[in-house]
Amino acid sequence: MRKLFLFVLLTQLSFVKTFAAQTRPQPTGDSVNIYNKILTSPEMKADLRIFREIREKANSGLYRYRSPKQIDSIYKWAFKKIKKPLSTTEYFKILLQLTDFEGSCHNYTEVGKDLLNFLNRQRSFFPYDVKYIEGKIIFNNQTPEIPAGSRILSVNGVPDTTLMHSFYKYCTADGYTTTQKLTGSVQRSFGLRYLLEYGLTDSFAVSFHPPYSNEVKQVTLPAVKLEARKENLLHRYSAAVDSIIDYNVQPRYSFRMINKSTGLLNFRIFTMAADQRDPAFPVYVRFIDSVFSELDKNAVPDLILDIRSNPGGSDPTYEQPMMYLTNHSFKENTLAYINFDRDTIPFMKYFWGVSTDSKMSPEELVAGKQFLKDNFQPFSNGRSYQDTVYNPVYYPKQPAYKGHVYLLIDENTASAASHLASLMKAYASNTTIVGVETVGGYYGHNGHAGVVYELPHSRIKTKFSIVYVVQDAPLKPDQPEGRGIIPDHEIWPAFGDFMDKKDTQMEYVLKLIERK
């Protein structure tokens, strides 16, 4: 079964204030007020009831990490917030917090494309890149106004900690994991999300400490168009190091020998094949086999497996390397089900499809219904269980790797990639995990078969995955429930390495190998 993946974090949008109070005058017909409709209290209440009813019926993960009492409590809070008219974006912020509260990295909710397109046309973007390092917002371009490595103290009068916390709700995560919220509140939030959170502006008043200094300096940066911001991001200070784990830059999978005794196997994204029927799949399988044959032939003692910032992909791609790293059979899951009748789609009146970009066509809807019938058994006792044919047993393959594996993970390791990390923590031999806790869960997830619904009054769309999955992940004393994969060595990027343009986590692994 195809695993729907990627944190489409750019689409998880919210507002704190009405745009009208912060926008510059716009030509008639292209004003933010055109796209940011004021909703009445009855309209919002109706949408909120539908929002919850849909999730009660179709979202099997609603109560995975939250009790009915907790869900009731946050919805009571939400209803209290909508007693007076609100802009669509103010209302959206409330729904976004409900979405985040559930605890699934595959959840997101977004406003209409017309508003997003309007914002993308404006000259209101923060011009440069920033990076989260050691709990601080670090300036990530070398400019005459602000040197690279400067600590940002405030932007337009908003302190750095307030800025970061305001963006946490955009970063959904499995269970109670917070690692991606920390970095995402900086590295994924000073583009479009900043406009959504704080409105349009002509300039940015920035207070900062220069690197290795406590002196407070201030500068005002003019806002730029999106194209200019994108150009500046290409020339950010850390671009060379960032590109090492960027699936937009690197091949999806690759292998090389760092030296005679250490191999490096990279998986940047698990989209090398859609499924076993994809012609690309046997090509990928042969590649994996050739890698482990080479490692065995040359008796390579150390292997680094790097899945940092891998957002996921499809079965059965991530299972392939695992079969060479264990002497234990394993499955994709021990339990998977949807909590509605496979022969129906709940709330068809509001059903949009599987992507927010375009509504599902009648032909696609027929194929989608057939997918549910093929993958799930008839409805019984309140559930439609996954057909066992789609949950095969994977057995160890030869030549098994006999050396030591160093698995590199980070807070952006998600979905299929975090599932591989879970399997490795569960069953891999001679493995040391280095990096940062993954955003994807160890024991389970709701990540298969995403669906999208559109609310009738606000036209806000919400997406979630319908399949409740319990992963093949035995209980571990160092692995709490509701958390991502916990590394053996928690290593975050260091400021000194940032300034020296070094990869902190890779450097740490290489030192571990050297000391061994």
Side-chain angles (χ1 to χ4, degrees), residues 38-239:
I38 299 298
L39 299 168
T40 67
S41 180
E43 287 175 328
M44 291 185 287
K45 288 179 180 178
D47 274 10
L48 185 54
R49 291 189 189 98
I50 293 167
F51 185 87
R52 180 168 183 176
E53 288 171 0
I54 288 171
R55 299 178 110 75
E56 292 277 3
K57 183 67 176 178
N59 185 355
S60 60
L62 179 62
Y63 297 110
R64 183 168 204 145
Y65 302 108
R66 308 296 182 185
S67 68
K69 184 177 180 180
Q70 289 174 314
I71 294 295
D72 287 343
S73 178
I74 195 170
Y75 273 88
K76 286 179 182 177
W77 164 84
F79 275 106
K80 288 180 181 178
K81 301 288 285 186
I82 56 176
K83 291 182 177 180
K84 295 181 180 180
L86 297 174
S87 68
T88 300
T89 48
E90 288 175 317
Y91 180 54
F92 169 75
K93 181 188 75 170
I94 296 169
L95 298 186
L96 187 61
Q97 292 181 76
L98 298 175
T99 304
D100 180 40
F101 187 69
E102 292 173 11
S104 174
C105 68
H106 292 84
N107 278 10
Y108 69 87
T109 297
E110 68 173 30
V111 294
K113 295 296 182 187
D114 287 347
L115 176 56
L116 301 183
N117 291 337
F118 169 82
L119 295 175
N120 280 327
R121 295 195 296 270
Q122 306 311 301
R123 187 183 298 276
S124 284
F125 284 88
F126 190 78
Y128 299 111
D129 191 46
V130 287
K131 205 168 182 67
Y132 177 91
I133 301 178
E134 297 177 355
K136 304 176 181 67
I137 302 175
I138 301 300
F139 194 72
N140 195 21
N141 281 86
Q142 189 66 264
T143 72
E145 302 90 354
I146 307 177
S150 296
R151 177 189 175 182
I152 303 299
L153 302 174
S154 67
V155 176
N156 286 344
V158 182
D160 56 350
T161 54
T162 303
L163 283 167
M164 289 187 279
H165 280 92
S166 70
F167 293 117
Y168 283 1
K169 57 186 173 287
Y170 292 81
C171 306
T172 57
D174 282 357
Y176 319 111
T177 306
T178 61
T179 50
Q180 197 201 60
K181 291 181 181 295
L182 298 175
T183 58
S185 69
V186 177
Q187 292 164 204
R188 298 170 182 250
S189 298
F190 278 75
L192 184 61
R193 287 180 181 169
Y194 185 94
L195 275 63
L196 289 163
E197 190 72 15
Y198 293 100
L200 303 180
T201 182
D202 291 311
S203 60
F204 297 89
V206 180
S207 175
F208 67 96
H209 287 317
Y212 306 111
S213 171
N214 290 322
E215 180 185 4
V216 177
K217 291 190 173 184
Q218 295 181 337
V219 67
T220 297
L221 302 173
V224 299
K225 298 279 282 186
L226 180 58
E227 293 74 17
R229 172 176 165 81
K230 288 181 177 179
E231 181 65 25
N232 288 338
L233 296 189
L234 292 176
H235 302 287
R236 65 193 184 279
Y237 185 80
S238 65

Side-chain angles (χ1 to χ4, degrees), residues 13 28 52 82 141 180 210 219 235 259 264 290 362 397 415 497:
L13 311 171
T28 302
R52 180 168 183 176
I82 56 176
N141 281 86
Q180 197 201 60
V219 67
H235 302 287
N259 52 50
L264 174 60
S290 69
K397 275 189 174 182
S415 196
D497 288 336

Side-chain angles (χ1 to χ4, degrees), residues 2-6 269-271 310-315 317 414-417:
R2 185 172 177 82
K3 185 185 293 287
L4 298 183
F5 59 93
L6 303 180
I269 187 170
F270 284 112
T271 58
N310 184 321
S314 304
D315 294 325
T317 57
S415 196

Side-chain angles (χ1 to χ4, degrees), residues 202-482:
D202 291 311
S203 60
F204 297 89
V206 180
S207 175
F208 67 96
H209 287 317
Y212 306 111
S213 171
N214 290 322
E215 180 185 4
V216 177
K217 291 190 173 184
Q218 295 181 337
V219 67
T220 297
L221 302 173
V224 299
K225 298 279 282 186
L226 180 58
E227 293 74 17
R229 172 176 165 81
K230 288 181 177 179
E231 181 65 25
N232 288 338
L233 296 189
L234 292 176
H235 302 287
R236 65 193 184 279
Y237 185 80
S238 65
V241 176
D242 295 344
S243 69
I244 294 171
I245 57 174
D246 186 349
Y247 67 86
N248 293 303
V249 176
Q250 301 296 339
R252 286 173 286 189
Y253 55 96
S254 63
F255 174 77
R256 67 181 177 89
M257 294 297 297
I258 295 177
N259 52 50
K260 290 182 179 180
S261 62
T262 305
L264 174 60
L265 180 57
N266 294 300
F267 293 105
R268 298 276 64 90
I269 187 170
F270 284 112
T271 58
M272 55 282 292
D275 53 37
Q276 289 175 302
R277 296 166 294 182
D278 190 326
F281 183 71
V283 177
Y284 168 64
V285 171
R286 287 194 295 272
F287 164 81
I288 296 296
D289 183 68
S290 69
V291 168
F292 285 96
S293 294
E294 179 181 345
L295 293 171
D296 184 70
K297 178 182 177 181
N298 297 309
V300 176
D302 296 297
L303 173 65
I304 302 171
L305 202 164
D306 189 352
I307 56 172
R308 289 176 295 170
S309 292
N310 184 321
S314 304
D315 294 325
T317 57
Y318 68 91
E319 293 93 343
Q320 301 309 305
M322 183 64 200
M323 290 187 282
Y324 293 91
L325 298 172
T326 182
N327 57 8
H328 195 288
S329 62
F330 61 92
K331 300 171 73 175
E332 195 268 348
N333 66 73
T334 58
L335 176 68
Y337 64 84
I338 57 178
N339 59 357
F340 59 87
D341 189 340
R342 67 167 193 180
D343 295 324
T344 65
I345 295 178
F347 294 95
M348 274 301 301
K349 183 178 180 180
Y350 311 113
F351 183 71
W352 177 268
V354 297
S355 169
T356 58
D357 291 333
S358 60
K359 191 168 185 178
M360 182 174 274
S361 68
E363 295 77 16
E364 290 170 331
L365 182 59
V366 170
K369 289 181 176 179
Q370 188 61 49
F371 169 85
L372 292 177
K373 289 185 178 181
D374 289 343
N375 282 268
F376 296 93
Q377 298 171 357
F379 192 63
S380 176
N381 297 322
R383 295 175 178 177
S384 293
Y385 288 93
Q386 180 188 38
D387 193 312
T388 55
V389 73
Y390 294 102
N391 188 32
V393 177
Y394 294 91
Y395 295 98
K397 275 189 174 182
Q398 297 298 325
Y401 183 62
K402 302 179 183 64
H404 197 96
V405 181
Y406 296 86
L407 177 65
L408 272 170
I409 59 174
D410 68 6
E411 71 282 6
N412 296 314
T413 303
S415 196
S418 58
H419 202 155
L420 171 59
S422 172
L423 287 168
M424 291 190 66
K425 181 154 189 170
Y427 298 122
S429 306
N430 304 319
T431 297
T432 300
I433 304 178
V434 176
V436 176
E437 178 185 354
T438 64
V439 70
Y442 171 79
Y443 290 107
H445 66 86
N446 279 70
H448 291 310
V451 295
V452 178
Y453 286 87
E454 183 183 60
L455 301 178
H457 300 290
S458 62
R459 299 300 177 187
I460 289 172
K461 296 181 182 67
T462 186
K463 183 173 183 177
F464 54 86
S465 295
I466 60 177
V467 188
Y468 187 103
V469 177
V470 177
Q471 295 174 181
D472 186 356
L475 187 66
K476 295 276 186 180
D478 65 338
Q479 187 60 60
E481 178 66 34

